[in-house]
Amino acid sequence: MNLKKFIKVLCCFIIFNLLGSTILGAGMPDTVKIITEKGTLNKVQYDGYDIQAERIRIDGSNDIVYCLEINNKYPSGQSFSLNEKPTDKVSNVIAAGYPNRSIAELNLDNENDAYFATQVAIWVAHEGYDINKIKGDNSKIVEAIKSIYNEGINKKYDNKIQTQVYKTNDESIQEVIVISYDDLTAEEKAESEQMEYPPQEG
């Protein structure tokens, strides 16, 4: 390997490690404003009841946000404060879902389906539902929900991105889980650079 190529590979290696240790370890915000988008994404059935989900997000941020408590109300612009880490069970389910795994990896057609499947799997894990009782008209979504849940419970995937639980002062509003989108893009960028400049022998 000539000197220039060696330096390039060394620099990429250093950048990759810095991204992993610094950017991915960056702190989450202390407070966030959570809003709910209009419209229901999809629905499935559990034990004769409909489970529907809407999409929530942080105002002015690309971070992915999920609800945690299915029986509480959706946020409507409240301020949420950093609370704690999700339980190991929920964290493992998140690792098996979107965005830690891509839409294609989940065998789904679009981002809304991937978000919905992950949201339902999180509720199943948090509430202690029987995953085998999830039914629905869209077989791909039902299979994705079961896959995310089962592979999460079996700890099949490592979570590459930070997740934190946030809560608001209103006890009737669901607690939420914020997933750092910046961590995800940093991880993808680091992996892309590593693939572009792989270590070479000789």
Side-chain angles (χ1 to χ4, degrees), residues 65-132:
V65 189
Y66 289 106
C67 285
L68 192 56
E69 300 155 310
I70 192 170
N71 292 317
N72 286 5
K73 295 188 294 187
Y74 272 91
S76 56
Q78 291 86 357
S79 178
F80 283 69
S81 299
L82 185 63
N83 187 31
E84 60 189 2
K85 290 278 189 183
T87 64
D88 288 344
K89 185 177 184 180
V90 170
S91 291
N92 290 332
V93 169
I94 291 171
Y98 178 79
N100 203 50
R101 292 169 67 202
S102 69
I103 297 165
E105 287 174 314
L106 294 172
N107 192 33
L108 291 170
D109 297 327
N110 55 63
E111 186 186 16
N112 280 343
D113 287 352
Y115 178 94
F116 175 77
T118 304
Q119 175 64 87
V120 175
I122 289 169
W123 279 332
V124 170
H126 182 71
E127 302 293 342
Y129 293 162
D130 181 351
I131 189 63
N132 296 309

Side-chain angles (χ1 to χ4, degrees), residues 12-13 16 189-199:
C12 289
F13 178 78
F16 178 78
K189 183 178 179 182
E191 288 178 353
S192 175
E193 288 175 348
Q194 190 181 42
M195 290 176 65
E196 185 176 355
Y197 304 111

Side-chain angles (χ1 to χ4, degrees), residues 152-180:
I153 294 301
N154 291 321
K155 303 178 183 179
K156 186 173 179 180
Y157 296 93
D158 292 325
N159 199 346
K160 299 178 287 188
I161 44 187
Q162 287 191 91
T163 56
Q164 291 282 0
V165 174
Y166 286 74
K167 67 182 300 182
T168 188
N169 292 330
D170 187 341
E171 296 292 334
S172 69
I173 304 294
Q174 297 196 48
E175 293 183 6
V176 302
I177 300 171
V178 176
I179 301 173
S180 175

